Amino acid sequence: MAGEPQVDFALDTYECIVLYPGAAGRALPAETVQRLQAEHAEHMAAMQRRGIILVAGAVDGPAREPDPPLGFGLSRTGSVDDVRSVMEADPAVQAGLYRVDVLTFLCPAGSMEFPLVKTES
């Protein structure tokens, strides 16, 4: 990253997951796509249960072509590389249905909450 922005307030740091169509996606049979999408959903749910993924979902609407993003998620592990490894283990990514990028996301500290994430007490 080029460095943290110079602002006069605290920042929270997250890993931003962006999912794109993969190179193999158009060539896969419809049944395979369905199976991989189900496996992807389970992978993401498992990562959320483990506390690795805070929130994730699909995106839709006008976007840059030819590769508009399909999904977005946030994580807060402190490591873009760790999150990338977890996402690259996703069966749909491994099969080429999707490809993934993980970036650092900064926002004002305390500006986001994730009420569905279970925390240990």
Side-chain angles (χ1 to χ4, degrees):
M1 195 165 113
E4 273 194 30
Q6 298 300 308
V7 294
D8 61 354
F9 50 87
L11 295 169
D12 283 338
T13 303
Y14 296 88
E15 297 83 39
C16 175
I17 303 158
V18 185
L19 206 60
Y20 296 94
R26 290 180 183 89
L28 294 170
E31 316 79 57
T32 302
V33 170
Q34 269 188 319
R35 178 181 53 79
L36 289 170
Q37 287 172 334
E39 290 175 10
H40 164 71
E42 178 51 39
H43 179 79
M44 295 303 286
M47 295 304 98
Q48 192 166 22
R49 285 191 301 272
R50 289 179 49 199
I52 295 171
I53 304 292
L54 300 172
V55 64
V59 297
D60 191 17
R64 281 188 279 177
E65 295 292 334
D67 262 351
L70 300 171
F72 167 85
L74 288 175
S75 183
R76 195 167 190 194
T77 68
S79 172
V80 167
D81 291 335
D82 287 351
V83 173
R84 185 175 288 114
S85 291
V86 165
M87 291 306 302
E88 288 175 350
D90 183 317
V93 173
Q94 290 182 345
L97 179 62
Y98 304 133
R99 67 179 177 82
V100 67
D101 200 2
V102 181
L103 312 153
T104 299
F105 175 71
L106 301 167
C107 65
S111 64
M112 292 199 293
E113 294 183 13
F114 303 94
L116 299 179
V117 174
K118 299 195 178 2
T119 56
E120 293 183 29
S121 45

